[in-house]
Amino acid sequence: MKIFLTSLLFMFFVVDEVKSQQISGTVSNNGEPLPYANIVIKGTSKGTITDENGNFKLEGLQQKKHVVVASYTGFVSAVKNIELKNENVQIHFDLKENSSLDEVVVTGTLKAVSRMETPVPVEVYKPAFFKKNPTANVFEALQNINGVRPQLNCNICNTGDIHINGLEGPYTMVLIDGMPIVSGLSTVYGLSGIPNSLIERMEVVKGPASSLYGSEAVGGLINIITKTPLYAPKLSVDAFATSWGEYNLDLGYKALLSDKVSYLLGANYFNFNQTIDKNEDNFTDVALQNRISVFQKLDVQRPENRLFSVAMRYYYEDRWGGEMQWTPAYRGGDEIYGESIYTSRWEVLGKYQLPIDAPVVFTFSYTNHHQNSVYGDTPFLADQQIAFGQFTWNKTLSNHDLLFGTALRYNYYDDNTPVTASEENNRPDEVAIPSVFVQDEITFNKAHTLLLGARYDYDKRHGSIFTPRVAYKWSFTENDIFRLNAGTGFRVVNLFTEDHAALTGARDVVITESLEPEQSYNVNLNYLKKIYTENNTFIGIDFSAWYTYFSNMILPDYDTNPNQIIYDNLEGYAVSKGISVNGDVVFSNGIKVNVGATLMDVSQTENGQTTRQILTEQFSGTWGVSYKILLWNLNIDYTGNVYGPMRLPLLSDLDPRPEYSPFWSIQNIQLTYSKLKNFEIYGGVKNLLNWTPNKGAPFIIARADDPFDKNVVFDAQGNAVSTPDNPYALTFDPSYVYGPNQGIRGFLGLRYVLD
């Protein structure tokens, strides 16, 4: 009995010791602790984050070999191999600044690959980049990315789109986790309400990507990568308010539903309910908005690490702008002018790897968008559904990394315009576009890689569409990379779902012919350089030059008739060409600088005459300067952008407004205090120069005092006639817009993270 009790007691202590085995340690950067860094055991669901002093502890580990990974936004992840025997182990990670040049990207080739290794240039932006100038939506957040400009399309309701290298918004495809979520009708509104708390990173490709992504990816694409639930913090809250009366709340919550299922919830609420008219034209300077968005994501761990994730987002927004006296009682009438838009939208997207030996992945998405809007007394009611499914198979043979894919995209669109309706019946636009694509990435050696790709789409309205591409990468040193990309792109246009200017009710829309798909041919040259100096300063330089030629380009003509927007295929060609450079510098004293500049020329040639594209700047620049005062736990961020003149839509030769915008700049400063446990307090000033587009112009909105043209005299051809009451022969028009009407304002916010 004594021997039995002794053995039992010995076994108890052994089991207790095994159960209590742990790995503990610290994570720092140059001696400074990194709070809230992620620590995970690779291949398991075990993980934790560091506390405010950079300490962590992993308990309940088995006696065997473990691979411990430490990661932190903006830093290079570190890995340690640890073997647990009969004692606890303590380790230390010293993470180095990540220049964003070595990160893993997926957008350029549909495969996870190091940014330094991919033949396709991809720019990566992490949440730390966007926190330097906090915004309430993704649309505004893009303002400090070089070569990317959020363009307002309406002075009244303040909707807009994204220009890449000077090309209009419909040429930009926006993806969420690689799925074409934001497109068509939702391009105007869908960029709002994506919870910033869920964004892991944003990948930007400039130039055509139709050979992988099809129509709309002509000018470039933006891929918003959401966080993996397993590695997200348990709870995150980010709330701020501005002196203009804007309120924004971002929530993130993670739950482990089981050992194999992790859940992520994100929500965004934005409210602006102040009628402000600082330019004194009796119209709201900024549209009033009440918006809510809810995002949910599930990740399931499957045998052999096969993928399975599904996400859903619901979005609702009520926005209006107009005369200061407007209330919902005037909605749709011709007494007080207002533009009122109700948007209801939901999305589903996911990935599923088939349970077979071959790595075949099925990705899918579905969106349903309903819009109820009025522009003055003109109603616009629309429904859009987009279903997308795609199979991809990745296969490696010798030095060939092959990717095969097939996709099907279904579009349904119905509105109350003559595009889909007539007096006799309703004719919704329905089309299914099947496609196949193939890609071969050939690695000749460590220095040379060649990528060949092609895509075939069939559209019953236009027939077969073939889009090939080729990319070449030459790494002539570890820190010098040369890339050359060439290819074609195409775009099938439904302009009523893309061009908000066509819906304002201020001009008649004229379509002169059956529109053919646009075709583009592109060449892009990219050079990337990394420099490490003797005093521990890092310098990264990313230079690009591009040339894109368009045939069949479809452009809105504002000039021929001031009362119309005329659409037709260009009888000639259009060209977008330019150069851009991005520079990142991290000094040894902690100062971080990123700066970018773009020079471009976007023009169209028709009947031997070349004109500059409207609302396109020839020069733009962006910058950000950050410095942390360690003694005070205080971060200082100074960000800004500058734009050169762009041609603006005038209504007549008598229009007194400038034909070209001036040089203009938006600059911001922010202070962030991070001493408090789990909290960050931030605040600052936006638009330090108090710049607004009405400066230097007699007015912005034409005939703001007569929005229904009740006092305008027209001739037999429908053109406005100069009268004592209307000396410039103008009609009401809000399309003279190129920058935000919002002047200087303060902001104050609070962030909280718990795990």
Side-chain angles (χ1 to χ4, degrees):
M1 174 64 75
K2 184 176 181 180
I3 295 176
F4 174 76
L5 291 175
T6 302
S7 301
L8 187 62
L9 186 63
F10 174 77
M11 290 174 62
F12 171 80
F13 281 115
V14 169
V15 171
D16 182 70
E17 180 69 18
V18 170
K19 288 184 178 179
S20 64
Q21 283 220 265
Q22 66 183 32
I23 298 175
S24 60
T26 58
V27 180
S28 65
N29 168 247
N30 294 328
E32 291 294 322
L34 287 178
Y36 317 120
N38 291 307
I39 309 295
V40 298
I41 303 294
K42 188 175 181 180
T44 74
S45 61
K46 290 187 177 295
T48 185
I49 64 169
T50 57
D51 61 20
E52 68 275 13
N53 297 313
N55 300 316
F56 71 89
K57 185 182 293 184
L58 292 165
E59 299 180 301
L61 302 178
Q62 297 179 4
Q63 292 186 9
K64 64 176 186 177
K65 291 182 179 180
H66 298 278
V67 179
V68 187
V69 182
S71 62
Y72 191 86
T73 299
F75 293 80
V76 178
S77 299
V79 178
K80 289 185 181 291
N81 295 298
I82 304 299
E83 184 173 3
L84 284 179
K85 294 183 178 178
N86 294 321
E87 68 281 337
N88 299 327
V89 174
Q90 190 167 18
I91 58 179
H92 173 69
F93 292 97
D94 185 35
L95 302 187
K96 303 300 180 184
E97 290 279 356
N98 191 340
S99 66
S100 83
L101 300 180
D102 300 317
E103 295 172 308
V104 172
V105 295
V106 298
T107 306
T109 59
L110 278 179
K111 297 179 295 183
V113 62
S114 165
R115 186 185 170 200
M116 295 292 290
E117 298 299 324
T118 176
V120 180
V122 181
E123 298 178 14
V124 180
Y125 299 92
K126 291 292 193 76
F129 176 87
F130 299 109
K131 285 182 179 180
K132 296 177 182 180
N133 179 32
T135 61
N137 55 61
V138 172
F139 178 78
E140 295 179 34
L142 297 170
Q143 63 186 277
N144 287 328
I145 296 180
N146 181 33
V148 178
R149 182 170 67 86
Q151 167 64 46
L152 291 176
N153 290 332
C154 177
N155 259 314
I156 297 177
C157 61
N158 299 147
T159 54
D161 53 33
I162 301 300
H163 290 200
I164 293 182
N165 288 343
L167 295 178
E168 295 281 346
Y171 295 91
T172 300
M173 175 175 276
V174 181
L175 314 168
I176 298 180
D177 290 335
M179 295 292 97
I181 290 297
V182 182
S183 57
L185 184 64
S186 60
T187 300
V188 178
Y189 307 98
L191 286 172
S192 300
I194 297 175
N196 291 333
S197 61
L198 295 183
I199 298 177
E200 174 67 26
R201 67 184 186 276
M202 197 176 296
E203 299 180 3
V204 179
V205 175
K206 298 172 182 176
S210 293
S211 62
L212 278 182
Y213 295 95
S215 179
E216 298 171 32
V218 178
L221 57 89
I222 298 170
N223 192 4
I224 299 169
I225 310 295
T226 60
K227 291 180 178 178
T228 301
L230 183 62
Y231 303 134
K234 181 178 292 184
L235 177 66
S236 63
V237 181
D238 189 346
F240 72 83
T242 75
S243 58
W244 274 51
E246 299 161 294
Y247 300 95
N248 185 75
L249 175 64
D250 241 20
L251 295 174
Y253 172 73
K254 176 191 76 173
L256 299 179
L257 303 182
S258 70
D259 291 340
K260 297 184 181 299
V261 181
S262 52
Y263 169 77
L264 184 63
L265 170 69
N268 171 259
Y269 176 71
F270 177 77
N271 181 272
F272 174 64
N273 196 34
Q274 303 293 322
T275 52
I276 298 175
D277 179 24
K278 291 185 178 294
N279 60 17
E280 299 180 348
D281 60 1
N282 196 42
F283 274 76
T284 53
D285 291 342
V286 178
L288 284 68
Q289 300 172 55
N290 190 32
R291 179 177 69 237
I292 188 167
S293 176
V294 179
F295 183 96
Q296 300 179 83
K297 185 176 182 179
L298 278 174
D299 269 10
V300 180
Q301 293 187 17
R302 299 171 57 215
E304 301 182 24
N305 293 320
R306 292 191 176 99
L307 295 172
F308 180 42
S309 69
V310 62
M312 184 175 72
R313 182 171 77 119
Y314 175 75
Y315 166 86
Y316 175 81
E317 181 183 74
D318 175 4
R319 75 162 64 202
W320 76 268
E323 293 187 88
M324 297 291 286
Q325 305 92 329
W326 191 90
T327 68
Y330 296 104
R331 191 175 195 265
D334 62 355
E335 184 177 352
I336 303 294
Y337 188 91
E339 297 185 358
S340 171
I341 304 163
Y342 303 144
T343 303
S344 177
R345 169 182 179 82
W346 61 274
E347 309 158 349
V348 178
L349 63 151
K351 294 182 179 180
Y352 178 77
Q353 185 174 344
L354 272 59
I356 57 178
D357 292 337
V360 178
V361 177
F362 175 61
T363 53
F364 58 91
S365 67
Y366 175 78
T367 67
N368 186 297
H369 185 108
H370 175 71
Q371 186 170 319
N372 179 329
S373 51
V374 293
Y375 303 89
D377 57 358
T378 303
F380 178 70
L381 310 174
D383 287 288
Q384 183 181 57
Q385 300 174 45
I386 300 177
F388 177 83
Q390 176 174 277
F391 287 93
T392 56
W393 174 39
N394 190 205
K395 178 68 174 178
T396 302
L397 295 174
S398 183
N399 63 333
H400 294 263
D401 192 353
L402 298 165
L403 178 72
F404 301 92
T406 181
L408 178 65
R409 178 167 175 162
Y410 168 78
N411 290 355
Y412 172 91
Y413 177 71
D414 187 21
D415 66 20
N416 64 320
T417 74
V419 170
T420 62
S422 66
E423 295 182 359
E424 293 80 20
N425 54 35
N426 188 48
R427 301 187 306 273
D429 182 27
E430 289 187 85
V431 62
I433 305 176
S435 61
V436 294
F437 56 90
V438 62
Q439 179 178 274
D440 184 9
E441 187 172 338
I442 309 167
T443 303
F444 297 104
N445 50 49
K446 188 176 181 180
H448 297 278
T449 302
L450 177 67
L451 183 143
L452 303 173
R455 181 185 180 105
Y456 171 81
D457 292 77
Y458 180 78
D459 188 321
K460 65 180 182 181
R461 299 166 298 181
H462 308 293
S464 300
I465 303 173
F466 180 66
T467 49
R469 76 163 171 173
V470 59
Y472 168 69
K473 180 182 73 73
W474 175 28
S475 304
F476 47 96
T477 75
E478 290 185 355
N479 298 321
D480 296 89
I481 297 178
F482 169 88
R483 295 181 175 96
L484 179 65
N485 281 247
T488 65
F490 77 97
R491 186 169 74 98
V492 177
V493 181
N494 187 336
L495 49 91
F496 276 85
T497 68
E498 298 172 337
D499 199 325
H500 178 264
L503 310 177
T504 63
R507 299 189 184 210
D508 294 327
V509 176
V510 177
I511 303 173
T512 61
E513 61 182 337
S514 178
L515 300 176
E516 294 298 321
E518 296 182 356
Q519 296 281 346
S520 71
Y521 307 88
N522 172 269
V523 176
N524 182 290
L525 175 66
N526 176 260
Y527 172 64
L528 190 147
K529 172 72 174 178
K530 296 193 297 183
I531 302 172
Y532 299 91
T533 67
E534 294 182 356
N535 62 351
N536 293 323
T537 295
F538 168 80
I539 302 173
I541 300 173
D542 192 338
F543 170 85
S544 292
W546 76 90
Y547 180 92
T548 306
Y549 177 95
F550 293 90
S551 61
N552 286 341
M553 194 173 195
I554 300 169
L555 290 174
D557 177 4
Y558 294 87
D559 302 323
T560 301
N561 187 324
N563 299 311
Q564 297 177 338
I565 305 176
I566 302 172
Y567 292 90
D568 63 358
N569 285 110
L570 185 67
E571 294 182 4
Y573 61 90
V575 170
S576 170
K577 57 186 176 182
I579 59 174
S580 69
V581 61
N582 289 318
D584 294 284
V585 184
V586 180
F587 294 97
S588 57
N589 61 4
I591 295 177
K592 304 174 187 176
V593 179
N594 58 75
V595 62
T598 299
L599 287 171
M600 59 185 171
D601 181 15
V602 183
S603 64
Q604 58 197 69
T605 300
E606 190 169 20
N607 300 323
Q609 183 178 2
T610 299
T611 57
R612 182 172 158 188
Q613 181 171 299
I614 203 167
L615 294 173
T616 302
E617 70 279 8
Q618 288 186 310
F619 169 79
S620 66
T622 59
W623 67 84
V625 181
S626 301
Y627 179 64
K628 183 173 184 178
I629 304 176
L630 297 175
L631 183 63
W632 299 346
N633 292 281
L634 189 68
N635 274 31
I636 303 174
D637 295 297
Y638 169 55
T639 59
N641 51 52
V642 60
Y643 298 103
M646 60 186 74
R647 191 167 71 91
L648 304 174
L650 299 182
L651 295 183
S652 72
D653 294 336
L654 299 176
D655 196 328
R657 296 173 294 182
E659 183 181 3
Y660 286 87
S661 64
F663 274 90
W664 57 282
S665 175
I666 301 292
Q667 301 178 26
N668 321 284
I669 193 164
Q670 175 185 246
L671 303 179
T672 304
Y673 180 71
S674 55
K675 176 64 175 176
L676 302 175
K677 181 179 180 180
N678 298 338
F679 285 94
E680 280 186 350
I681 302 172
Y682 62 92
V685 179
K686 290 179 178 286
N687 197 355
L688 285 165
L689 304 180
N690 196 27
W691 178 89
T692 52
N694 62 297
K695 295 181 179 180
F699 52 84
I700 296 296
I701 299 176
R703 297 286 295 175
D705 59 337
D706 184 20
F708 295 99
D709 292 334
K710 293 181 179 180
N711 298 317
V712 176
V713 177
F714 296 94
D715 62 17
Q717 286 73 41
N719 298 314
V721 176
S722 177
T723 64
D725 179 62
N726 187 15
Y728 304 120
L730 303 179
T731 56
F732 173 72
D733 187 76
S735 62
Y736 186 91
V737 56
Y738 57 93
N741 286 321
Q742 206 167 11
I744 189 170
R745 60 204 182 277
F747 66 95
L748 182 65
L750 178 69
R751 297 189 185 100
Y752 175 74
V753 178
L754 175 67
D755 203 332

